[in-house]
Amino acid sequence: MAIKKWEPFGDFDDLFNRLIPASFSRFPRLETGMKVDWAPSADISENETEFLIRAELPGVKKEDIRVKVSDGVLTLEGERRQEKEEKGERTHRVERFYGSFSRSFALPDNADVSGVKAESKDGPLTIKIPKLKSTPTRALDVKVE
């Protein structure tokens, strides 16, 4: 488990920034030099044969994505790199998050970790985790001694 720096007012700042648009604020917001941890949004679903995790990773190259499974936990890690400014262009505002990210998902007992596959196409990442084939159980008489 990684140690994460505690930011006591981080959640409050996020809530404030979402509820009060910049145009209504009397004071300018800090927008440059802010270090913000981020994690991609993910949807989890399943069908008859597999579990699916779909993560939104716009602007992240597949070479910058790592998926690993260890001790029943699937971890998605990577980095979105900030684009370099073009010559003669000045940036006035940056609202997209950049930097490293990590998400972890506990896998159910019937997940077949040996068959995990990940596919990235233009932003969305789809991770497919096959289900273990269950064998039908049959009745068994146990002799009482």
Side-chain angles (χ1 to χ4, degrees):
M1 184 170 142
I3 297 175
K4 184 177 176 185
K5 183 180 175 187
W6 181 50
E7 295 289 342
F9 298 106
D11 290 337
F12 179 75
D13 288 342
D14 290 344
L15 177 65
F16 180 80
N17 289 337
R18 275 188 266 132
L19 294 177
I20 300 177
S23 58
F24 294 111
S25 177
R26 289 181 36 211
F27 304 103
R29 294 187 193 160
L30 293 175
E31 296 196 2
T32 56
M34 272 179 75
K35 166 93 173 71
V36 179
D37 293 330
W38 75 283
S41 300
D43 297 335
I44 302 172
S45 61
E46 72 176 287
N47 59 33
E48 297 276 329
T49 60
E50 63 192 358
F51 299 98
L52 299 160
I53 299 174
R54 293 181 182 96
E56 288 295 321
L57 297 171
V60 180
K61 297 177 183 174
K62 64 181 170 181
E63 298 83 32
D64 294 330
I65 301 170
R66 291 174 304 287
V67 178
K68 61 183 177 182
V69 178
S70 177
D71 297 327
V73 177
L74 183 138
T75 303
L76 167 61
E77 299 175 321
E79 181 177 4
R80 180 164 41 200
R81 301 177 194 278
Q82 190 165 8
E83 300 164 1
K84 294 182 180 178
E85 281 189 29
E86 296 293 324
K87 198 169 197 168
E89 181 179 303
R90 288 188 325 205
T91 301
H92 293 280
R93 185 180 190 117
V94 176
E95 293 186 345
R96 296 182 289 172
F97 295 114
Y98 296 96
S100 300
F101 61 85
S102 179
R103 294 281 315 258
S104 294
F105 305 94
L107 296 175
D109 292 336
N110 63 336
D112 182 3
V113 296
S114 64
V116 175
K117 293 182 182 176
E119 181 180 288
S120 177
K121 287 186 180 176
D122 300 327
L125 172 73
T126 302
I127 303 170
K128 297 179 178 184
I129 306 123
K131 292 181 179 180
L132 290 171
K133 304 213 182 334
S134 61
T135 55
T137 58
R138 60 182 174 112
L140 178 66
D141 289 330
V142 178
K143 183 179 177 182
V144 178
E145 295 180 19

